[in-house]
């Protein structure tokens, strides 16, 4: 699955990404709970709009905006269809993440993300026949078991009861 040489730059970017992701999880969780909680759909609208604006500014400042616009003009109808389907999935993922964030702690959200990584590894093996060395397979298994263990034992009983009562 793409072994790469570890560099200080790669390590720094990875750590920065982890800190940003953790901050986003905490921010989202606090935005969706409490007396001044924001409903999931307006939060999705604001975050998506902010993301689009920042992406356009970034593309412009890096000189890639015109390349992106030129590439968009060459899309075929089937490409646009796939982009729309991808957008629908992204929307559903974000809304479901926001709704889930109301019910669990930021730690649980991060652990769910780890389960997603495990699923991606398994799917990459099944669909793309990627080769996974035994040590990586063991690490994936340990990550999955750890997330499952936390899910079963790490949640307060009141939260588990609320989740079960909701379904």
């Amino acid at each position: 699955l793409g072994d790469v040489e570890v560099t200080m730059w790669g390590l720094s970017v990875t750590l920065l990404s982890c800190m940003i992701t953790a901050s986003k999880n905490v921010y989202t969780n606090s935005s969706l709970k409490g007396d001044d909680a924001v409903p999931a759909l307006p939060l999705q609208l604001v975050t998506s709009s902010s993301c689009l604006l920042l992406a356009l500014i970034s593309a412009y400042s890096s000189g890639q905006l015109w390349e992106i616009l030129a590439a968009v003009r060459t899309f075929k109808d089937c490409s646009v269809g796939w982009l729309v389907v991808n957008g629908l999935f992204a929307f559903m993922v974000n809304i479901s993440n926001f709704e889930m964030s109301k019910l669990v702690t930021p730690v649980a959200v991060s652990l769910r993300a780890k389960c997603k990584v495990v699923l991606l590894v398994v799917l990459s093996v099944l669909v793309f026949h990627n080769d996974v060395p035994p040590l990586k397979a063991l690490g994936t298994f340990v990550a999955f078991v750890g997330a499952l263990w936390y899910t079963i034992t790490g949640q307060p009983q009141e939260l588990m009861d609320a989740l079960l009562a909701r379904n």
Side-chain angles (χ1 to χ4, degrees), residues 37-93:
V38 178
L41 200 53
L43 185 60
Q44 169 70 22
L45 178 64
V46 170
T47 56
S48 295
S49 301
S50 302
C51 185
L52 175 63
L53 178 63
L54 290 171
L56 289 173
I57 291 170
S58 177
Y60 179 78
S61 64
S62 68
Q64 295 177 336
L65 180 61
W66 307 120
E67 294 172 31
I68 293 169
L69 293 175
V72 168
R73 286 190 208 111
T74 64
F75 284 164
K76 297 179 179 153
D77 290 340
C78 64
S79 297
V80 172
W82 282 114
L83 288 173
V84 169
V85 169
N86 187 24
L88 288 172
F89 278 121
F91 174 80
M92 291 186 293
V93 164

